[in-house]
Amino acid sequence: MKALSGLALIALSLTVAACGKKDAGSATSAEPVAAVAAPAGTKWSETIAATPEGHFVMGNPNAKVKLIEYGSYTCSHCRDFAAESAEEIKQIVDSGKMSFEFRNYVRDPIDISTALLARCGGKDIFYPLSEQFFGNQNAMFEKAQALGDEKYKALMSAPPAQRFGQLAAAVGLVDFAKQRGIAEDQAKQCLADTAAAEKLAKGVEEANQQYKIEGTPTFILNGVMVENTAAWPALRTKLKEAGL
């Protein structure tokens, strides 16, 4: 599959990894990991830092175990994983043993629109907003299907700075974000940020080059792609093998 290269290739659709993934390598360690207390008055799951690459990491920055998810807001497997895992991942992160980083692996224009909005409020609300966007996935799909092919193509033929804003409004994402504290003007500004959209697309290209990602969600544990982990029970087993 070809990787993305700029907004010209995401005008109508993205031909990237499927929702769901195949096997890859594994990385585990049998040694138990010691807990690390968060600074007084704080919780590791509420400690979010931006990386130099522009991602958001939750938890102890010096955690021994570092978990990365490449996920898509339009992937049903990613939605199910988020619903099943969110609370327990926060519990593990709160132990100080593990950090968690969700990296947007955008697969289509609706996915890009959602990612732009999820990131619009900054690092401190990125994770709760992401969970809520996953919870809204079915309702979003219903609105998207109601558009029809012609309306969708018309939206995607708009200039890049208008494209994602029009699409997000049409599938209810702008209203959804407004109800969760993102002002309409702020949402429109984020959706018009073509540089941010191109960066999301380039992130997929870089992920494909580094990890040969074939589907979402894909998990990277201490720098190595983990096999058979599209669902939370399977990943939880891998985390236990890693000493958690």
Side-chain angles (χ1 to χ4, degrees), residues 143-160:
K143 290 183 175 68
Q145 290 170 356
L147 291 176
D149 290 343
E150 292 304 315
K151 176 64 172 176
Y152 179 77
K153 289 179 181 179
L155 291 170
M156 289 297 94
S157 66

Side-chain angles (χ1 to χ4, degrees), residues 196-231:
E198 289 178 348
K199 188 172 182 178
L200 287 168
K202 185 171 179 57
V204 172
E205 182 179 323
E206 292 170 347
N208 288 340
Q209 291 173 350
Q210 185 171 4
Y211 297 112
K212 312 299 181 187
I213 292 175
E214 297 181 350
T216 52
T218 285
F219 298 96
I220 312 300
L221 186 59
N222 285 347
V224 180
M225 187 186 293
V226 195
E227 64 179 13
N228 292 330
T229 55

Side-chain angles (χ1 to χ4, degrees), residues 17-167:
C19 180
K21 62 183 288 289
K22 297 180 181 179
D23 294 351
S26 64
T28 58
S29 170
E31 292 187 13
V33 176
V36 179
T42 69
K43 297 175 66 175
W44 284 128
S45 62
E46 296 174 355
T47 302
I48 314 297
T51 72
E53 298 77 20
H55 304 297
F56 300 131
V57 179
M58 174 197 302
N60 176 7
N62 299 312
K64 184 174 182 181
V65 177
K66 300 183 185 298
L67 177 65
I68 297 169
E69 175 187 356
Y70 282 97
S72 160
Y73 294 122
T74 58
C75 170
S76 60
H77 293 283
C78 300
R79 175 202 63 202
D80 294 344
F81 177 85
E84 294 170 359
S85 68
E87 290 308 313
E88 193 165 356
I89 283 179
K90 289 175 191 174
Q91 291 173 11
I92 299 172
V93 168
D94 277 334
S95 72
K97 300 177 182 181
M98 182 183 84
S99 64
F100 176 69
E101 180 179 347
F102 181 86
R103 294 184 180 178
N104 294 112
Y105 189 94
V106 292
R107 302 165 56 246
D108 54 72
I110 294 177
D111 198 2
I112 290 180
S113 301
T114 310
L116 290 171
L117 287 172
R119 301 171 61 81
C120 193
K123 62 184 179 64
D124 292 329
I125 66 169
F126 173 75
Y127 283 100
L129 197 53
S130 290
E131 288 180 35
Q132 292 174 63
F133 275 126
F134 275 123
N136 183 59
Q137 189 184 95
N138 288 342
M140 177 187 66
F141 282 159
E142 289 176 4
K143 290 183 175 68
Q145 290 170 356
L147 291 176
D149 290 343
E150 292 304 315
K151 176 64 172 176
Y152 179 77
K153 289 179 181 179
L155 291 170
M156 289 297 94
S157 66
Q162 300 174 23
R163 186 175 301 155
F164 300 114
Q166 292 182 2
L167 179 61

